[in-house]
Every structure is written in C-alpha cells, then in structure tokens.
Amino acid sequence: MAKPIFVLNGPNLNMLGTREPAVYGSETLDDVRARCVTRAKALGLPVDFRQSNLEGELVGWIQEARTKAQGIIVNAGAYTHTSIAILDALQAAELPVVEVHLSNIFRRDEFRQHSFVSLAAAGVICGLGAKGYELALEAMADLVKRRTKA
Ligand code: DQA
C-alpha cells in the first residue's frame, strides 16, 4: 500500500464557505476535501485530508508524516506567517512539501506576504481558490515520482 499525501489545513479553514467568501470563495472545506479525493484518485495517490485550529496538532501531524506519508500539502492559514514551529517540523520531515493558499497572499496585507512555510516548500500555489489544491496534488505527483526514481 502506497503511503498517503497528507493535506493539512490550519486555523479557520473549517469556516470555509461562510468565512469571507469574497476572499476565500464559497466552497466549504468538505468541498475542497472532495476535490482532493477525486483528483488524488485520478493521479493514483492516496490522500489523508485534515484540518486543525491548533498549532501543536499541526506540528504533531507533520511529525507523523515523516514516517507515514510520502508528501505534505499544507495550507497553514495564519500560522503560515507566524509559525517557526511548523517550519521546523516541515524541515525535519524531509518530505516534498507544496504550500497552498486559496487567496493571493501577495495582493493582501503586508504581514501575509511573508511565509515561514515557504522556506520548506518545493513550491507555492496561491490565489487560485480551491483549484489550487488540485494543482498542488498534480505537482506533488511529479515530486514523488522524481524522488522514487532518484
Ligand atoms: C490563507 C491565507 C492566510 O493569510 C490566512 O490567514 C488564512 C488562509 C489562504 O488560504 O488564503 O487563514 O492561508
């Protein structure tokens, strides 16, 4: 059995659909999960989709990924801009990481334009809404293939 790709979502992403739809779109987190499951299936990748409002829980999941996953797709929400703990965990995981944001963080407040997560990410997809998660899975499929070949 192939290991899954962990798709980890941070704080307030459980509010998708009702939270500032002009910024984050009208799809719920369950809709995003469904997109990921369908896309991952087409790519032949198992996916494990999770959300937490707690920094420590996200760190724990990233630590778990080190042995239980083959890659991490992460939208760390506001922790993107604040959490060295999440960065450290991602670096310790030694796995391909793709960072996702629904909104274009570079068109928003200045404090959103810096990402600690990016320091551990192979690439970043932002501003394309829920579609970004599907694109992240596509990128991850390539990253994982490259790794197994190397
Ligand atoms: C977000 C962008 C972050 O700045 C914000 O704190 C979020 C969501 C996004 O998906 O656009 O919670 O990560």
Side-chain angles (χ1 to χ4, degrees), residues 10-13 19 23-24 75-81 100-105 108 111-112 127 133:
N12 299 306
L13 291 166
R19 175 193 183 197
V23 177
Y24 297 114
N75 181 352
Y79 290 139
T80 304
H81 318 297
V100 180
H101 301 284
L102 294 147
S103 65
N104 181 351
I105 55 173
R108 302 186 61 198
F111 65 83
R112 294 184 202 276
Y133 283 75

Side-chain angles (χ1 to χ4, degrees), residues 1-144:
M1 257 297 264
K3 289 179 185 175
I5 305 302
F6 277 13
V7 182
L8 304 180
N9 295 279
N12 299 306
L13 291 166
N14 56 315
M15 302 287 290
L16 283 184
T18 49
R19 175 193 183 197
E20 298 183 86
V23 177
Y24 297 114
S26 54
E27 287 182 49
T28 66
L29 193 64
D30 268 346
D31 296 333
V32 177
R33 181 198 306 270
R35 272 183 187 256
C36 285
V37 168
T38 305
R39 195 78 198 99
K41 208 169 182 185
L43 292 163
L45 291 173
V47 74
D48 189 336
F49 189 98
R50 306 181 188 184
Q51 188 274 332
S52 176
N53 291 323
L54 306 177
E55 184 176 21
E57 188 159 37
L58 291 160
V59 167
W61 288 343
I62 295 164
Q63 290 179 1
E64 182 188 336
R66 194 176 198 284
T67 53
K68 303 257 173 70
Q70 44 175 335
I72 302 170
I73 293 173
V74 59
N75 181 352
Y79 290 139
T80 304
H81 318 297
T82 63
S83 180
I84 297 168
I86 287 177
L87 168 62
D88 283 350
L90 288 168
Q91 284 176 333
E94 296 181 329
L95 290 171
V97 173
V98 178
E99 176 180 359
V100 180
H101 301 284
L102 294 147
S103 65
N104 181 351
I105 55 173
F106 300 104
R107 277 184 71 169
R108 302 186 61 198
D109 327 71
E110 208 175 320
F111 65 83
R112 294 184 202 276
Q113 293 174 24
H114 176 263
S115 164
F116 284 106
V117 169
S118 290
L119 293 168
V124 184
I125 296 167
C126 79
L128 300 175
K131 176 80 188 173
Y133 283 75
E134 294 185 58
L135 297 172
L137 279 163
E138 270 185 46
M140 184 58 79
D142 281 351
L143 290 168
V144 162

